[in-house]
Amino acid sequence: MCGIVGYMGKENAMDIIINGLKHLEYRGYDSAGVAFVEKKKIKKIREKGKVDLLKKEIDKLKIITHSAIGHTRWATHGSPSKENTHPHSDCKNKIALVHNGIIENYLELKNLLKSKKHKFSSDTDTEVIAHLLEENLKHYPIFDSILNTINILKGSFALLFIFADYPELMIGVRKNSPLVFAEKDGDSFFSSDIIGISTYVDRAYFLEDETIVFLNKSKFSFFDFKGAEKKIPAKRIEKSSFFIEKKGFKHFMLKEIFEQPEAIRETIQDRYSIEDGTINIGIDKSLFEGIDKIKILSCGTSYHAGLIGSYFLESFGGVETSVILSSEYPYKELKEKETTLFIAISQSGETADTLKAIRKVKGKNRIIAITNVPESSITRESDNYVLTHCGPEISVAATKTFTSQVALLFLLSLQLSQQKNALNKKEIIKLLEELRKIPVQMEGVLNKSSLIEKSASKFYQKENFLYIGRWINYPVAMEGSLKLKEISYIFSEAYSGGQLKHGPISLIDEGTPLIAIAPEDRAKVKILSNIEEAKTRGAEIISIGTKGDSELLSLSDVMFSIPPVNEFLSPFLTIVYAQLFAYYIALRRGVDIDQPRNLAKSVTVE
Ligand code: M6R
């Protein structure tokens, strides 16, 4: 979950590396570093903290070089100290490398290398690679040494190497961690994600697993892990209509919350026709043929989107659906029947847990991936994929990708329903019409953001929150609670309203804030009782309900209202209040909203 960038060409590499690392900071921001070759010596600049600190240091030193590698780190092995900051080197400082991923057998290798008198200067797993390569270089030429080294490593790695003795050489390696290579007018670029270099290039090579890129000056070739040359086609990069700028918003998160209506419009447009009540999200009919079960695999916010989607799939498509955390799926001892369809949801398309889970069923079961990143690993490893069209999501806290995933699941379930004749045409048209209205209704909710800001100023000093919801808004409560935890560092927990009395109600005391998601729907009467039970015990009630609901209003200390909508569609609106609430609480608490501590946007470790 780190970001790596490499450049070799006519420009000052430092500008390109720093710019790339800034774009990749969503992958981790514990520390950052660069390395380059000067007079046949490896030079490194490394700083604990964010890329801006590294930039300051580089600017101070006025470095100009035409080839360099860089890294922004999310610490896994070893604390986020300067010593553990990448790039790392061998004993003689002849090699420098940056790494994204995890070397699972590093301890075993470290012990072996220590027995051969190698001296280590960090606690990272990465450093073993430099020493292993150094050891190989004692006996073999460079290319063979690379092959020997990477074939011993277990785990996941995207690597970039430079060499003091070969200043015109840069080697990139990909296994289970993303890496993109691009070339334009003799300049060459590497990046963990196309976003790191998309300003400079129009086409790129999205490297497949087990690929080596051998770059010598401006000449490059691709090889597999056995050393055989291979061809990879360059692909055009789709530049998004959403900009990677804050556009006047204080944070990316707030901008992305406000982009939700547009992200949903972009995601659903051209995928259905209201006139004839048909849906076509671009997946083959055969995917739904004969299925009797659906299993959704996902993590975090995507898991919550999956939970909401499961109600659509069961109610509209009539297929029993379960949602499983990808990180738990590998432990299940199941013989999946061929008639089970898998849906993997991941905004980044790089989540290692989800990737591992789908690999378990790949080749045996049909898989549909829902991601926001066209060339991501999950997209490429799934037989079929459908994209949300949200543009890049920079804030670590997912918002617009969540609601777009839900919109896509809504359409997917209607397509399933259409194919299975579960709902009739009239019913499908009605639901499509309601979905089409959602972006405008969302704008209405967003227009009330100042109300949320005001109430956040009342609650921001609370030390814990409870969230409750029922049925389709239970996952909204979970997502609202996750948002609050993630960016404000306040402890919160979400429960189904019906579960309060089974234990958590004992947490409620005078003044405990309880956020109740209670719009007009089939669960409304029951959740009102749950709110009442909490209020009787002293809870302060912040509710999100339907406009004109006087009963809910009378129970609430603060109430935010959504317009009356189809009960299946309320999560699109209730979640916006929950996102804004978390945002304004975090703003008041003065934390780093876009890059909360200990987190990273793309979680490429298990
Ligand atoms: O990229 P993915 O959707 O697979 O990511 C899954 C989770 O890591 C992610 O949703 C995480 O929980 C977010 N930070 C939530 O805001």
Side-chain angles (χ1 to χ4, degrees):
M1 273 160 44
C2 305
I4 65 178
V5 197
Y7 172 77
M8 189 181 285
K10 299 180 283 298
E11 306 301 322
N12 183 6
M14 285 302 135
D15 298 340
I16 288 161
I17 300 288
I18 290 295
N19 184 31
L21 291 180
K22 285 291 296 170
H23 281 107
L24 295 183
E25 239 181 349
Y26 74 88
R27 302 178 70 87
Y29 33 81
D30 287 331
S31 63
V34 292
F36 54 99
V37 179
E38 193 180 76
K39 295 187 187 143
K40 290 220 161 186
K41 283 210 163 82
I42 298 275
K43 298 273 171 188
K44 280 188 253 172
I45 304 162
R46 304 186 295 174
E47 290 296 324
K48 184 171 179 305
K50 296 198 175 171
V51 174
D52 276 339
L53 291 174
L54 175 70
K55 181 177 176 339
K56 255 193 203 153
E57 192 55 29
I58 290 174
D59 290 348
K60 210 162 79 193
L61 298 169
K62 296 195 173 63
I63 298 159
I64 296 192
T65 174
H66 296 283
S67 172
I69 54 175
H71 188 273
T72 179
R73 178 167 190 246
W74 184 80
T76 56
H77 295 63
S79 66
S81 64
K82 195 161 177 168
E83 299 73 54
N84 290 333
T85 301
H86 297 220
H88 289 288
S89 289
D90 58 319
C91 300
K92 293 195 180 126
N93 205 29
K94 292 277 186 188
I95 301 163
L97 85 135
V98 287
H99 168 215
N100 170 36
I102 285 188
I103 305 304
E104 286 164 2
N105 55 340
Y106 88 102
L107 270 180
E108 182 193 315
L109 293 170
K110 195 168 179 171
N111 288 336
L112 181 88
L113 288 157
K114 272 183 174 169
S115 72
K116 296 192 176 192
K117 308 273 179 270
H118 284 261
K119 295 262 174 295
F120 284 80
S121 50
S122 78
D123 303 322
T124 64
D125 51 340
T126 303
E127 198 186 339
V128 295
I129 308 171
H131 293 275
L132 199 58
L133 183 57
E134 176 183 29
E135 195 57 36
N136 271 295
L137 282 167
K138 288 179 189 163
H139 312 285
Y140 307 101
I142 209 153
F143 188 68
D144 293 345
S145 299
I146 288 279
L147 282 180
N148 292 345
T149 303
I150 60 178
N151 279 307
I152 286 182
L153 303 177
K154 289 198 181 120
S156 58
F157 45 92
L159 306 166
L160 291 179
F161 295 92
I162 55 169
F163 305 88
D165 295 335
Y166 310 98
E168 291 179 338
L169 197 63
M170 189 176 288
I171 296 176
V173 181
R174 180 205 156 131
K175 184 181 177 186
N176 293 338
S177 285
L179 188 62
V180 183
F181 173 75
E183 187 270 343
K184 194 178 179 193
D185 304 330
D187 289 355
S188 302
F189 306 80
F190 287 94
S191 178
S192 300
D193 178 336
I194 190 64
I195 213 173
I197 51 175
S198 58
T199 346
Y200 311 106
V201 294
D202 311 309
R203 300 171 73 75
Y205 301 88
F206 294 88
L207 305 179
E208 44 195 55
D209 239 11
E210 307 216 344
T211 301
I212 303 167
V213 186
F214 203 84
L215 172 68
N216 197 338
K217 256 183 152 179
S218 57
K219 288 206 176 98
F220 60 92
S221 315
F222 304 114
F223 298 90
D224 65 19
F225 276 20
K226 291 196 178 102
E229 192 163 352
K230 61 177 181 180
K231 294 269 171 273
I232 297 178
K235 289 193 180 159
R236 261 206 93 65
I237 301 165
E238 280 183 36
K239 306 251 168 160
S240 168
S241 57
F242 293 88
F243 295 101
I244 314 164
E245 291 160 14
K246 288 192 192 139
K247 283 202 233 156
F249 286 92
K250 203 170 163 71
H251 293 97
F252 279 110
M253 180 178 178
L254 191 61
K255 181 192 129 204
E256 288 158 4
I257 291 175
F258 274 81
E259 278 178 346
Q260 291 181 105
E262 198 47 29
I264 291 182
R265 279 190 196 103
E266 292 270 329
T267 296
I268 63 175
Q269 74 170 358
D270 304 331
R271 285 176 158 159
Y272 66 93
S273 152
I274 294 219
E275 287 62 48
D276 50 14
T278 51
I279 303 100
N280 185 354
I281 59 166
I283 49 169
D284 202 78
K285 270 188 152 191
S286 61
L287 282 165
F288 293 146
E289 262 157 31
I291 58 162
D292 58 9
K293 211 175 254 174
I294 296 176
K295 292 195 177 179
I296 300 182
L297 300 168
S298 46
C299 296
T301 290
S302 297
Y303 172 70
H304 300 149
L307 289 172
I308 296 176
S310 69
Y311 294 107
F312 303 152
L313 291 159
E314 290 186 338
S315 297
F316 307 154
V319 180
E320 189 190 322
T321 304
S322 49
V323 192
I324 308 159
L325 286 168
S326 316
S327 50
E328 290 298 315
Y329 185 70
Y331 307 118
K332 287 188 177 279
E333 291 177 24
L334 290 172
K335 280 213 166 62
E336 299 290 8
K337 289 201 300 182
E338 266 179 37
T339 46
T340 300
L341 168 72
F342 281 81
I343 301 179
I345 312 176
S346 170
Q347 77 76 25
S348 63
E350 299 297 345
T351 298
D353 291 317
T354 305
L355 200 53
K356 179 161 183 182
I358 60 172
R359 281 180 181 154
K360 204 172 161 188
V361 291
K362 201 178 158 181
K364 291 174 248 157
N365 288 80
R366 286 164 275 184
I367 307 171
I368 301 175
I370 295 181
T371 78
N372 192 42
V373 183
E375 288 299 336
S376 60
S377 306
I378 292 175
T379 314
R380 282 181 299 118
E381 290 213 17
S382 309
D383 327 322
N384 303 276
Y385 65 89
V386 198
L387 297 174
T388 48
H389 295 148
C390 302
E393 188 176 67
I394 304 301
S395 166
V396 164
T399 53
K400 61 176 178 174
T401 52
F402 171 72
T403 40
S404 298
Q405 287 166 348
V406 176
L408 211 42
L409 287 161
F410 191 85
L411 285 184
L412 191 144
S413 61
L414 289 185
Q415 184 169 334
L416 172 66
S417 176
Q418 169 185 285
Q419 196 170 322
K420 292 178 58 118
N421 285 324
L423 293 180
N424 66 39
K425 197 176 236 184
K426 225 166 127 196
E427 289 167 315
I428 292 185
I429 291 181
K430 182 101 189 19
L431 286 166
L432 289 172
E433 276 170 345
E434 311 249 19
L435 176 69
R436 190 165 61 172
K437 285 193 233 147
I438 285 296
V440 173
Q441 290 168 326
M442 243 181 186
E443 277 155 5
V445 171
L446 287 164
N447 284 339
K448 296 193 208 151
S449 65
S450 58
L451 294 179
I452 317 257
E453 187 169 9
K454 219 154 112 199
S455 72
S457 67
K458 190 168 158 223
F459 290 100
Y460 78 100
Q461 283 166 320
K462 296 275 184 188
E463 281 316 313
N464 42 57
F465 282 79
L466 286 175
Y467 284 71
I468 57 166
R470 269 182 179 249
W471 185 55
I472 205 157
N473 273 290
Y474 171 37
V476 172
M478 294 163 88
E479 175 58 11
S481 165
L482 176 64
K483 289 288 91 85
L484 186 75
K485 281 187 261 241
E486 219 179 352
I487 59 168
S488 71
Y489 315 147
I490 296 175
F491 184 81
S492 75
E493 204 50 281
Y495 294 98
S496 154
Q499 290 301 305
L500 270 189
K501 58 186 176 294
H502 295 290
I505 201 161
S506 67
L507 293 168
I508 295 177
D509 201 355
E510 209 50 51
T512 304
L514 180 126
I515 302 191
I517 324 285
E520 224 35 89
D521 63 18
R522 64 187 73 183
K524 167 61 199 322
V525 177
K526 295 285 182 223
I527 200 158
L528 275 188
S529 311
N530 304 143
I531 296 171
E532 192 120 34
E533 289 150 16
K535 192 163 179 71
T536 315
R537 287 160 179 87
E540 268 190 87
I541 310 294
I542 304 151
S543 68
I544 303 173
T546 305
K547 196 167 178 212
D549 185 340
S550 51
E551 229 178 323
L552 180 62
L553 184 66
S554 68
L555 287 174
S556 308
D557 293 274
V558 187
M559 175 174 160
F560 302 114
S561 55
I562 64 163
V565 283
N566 177 300
E567 61 174 355
F568 282 94
L569 292 165
S570 67
F572 286 108
L573 307 178
T574 50
I575 190 58
V576 177
Y577 279 121
Q579 292 166 342
L580 286 169
F581 187 76
Y583 173 80
Y584 285 117
I585 293 265
L587 188 68
R588 276 281 178 161
R589 288 172 78 103
V591 289
D592 188 342
I593 293 182
D594 284 334
Q595 296 180 332
R597 68 183 179 204
N598 307 338
L599 288 172
K601 183 80 184 159
S602 182
V603 186
T604 55
V605 293
E606 279 170 46

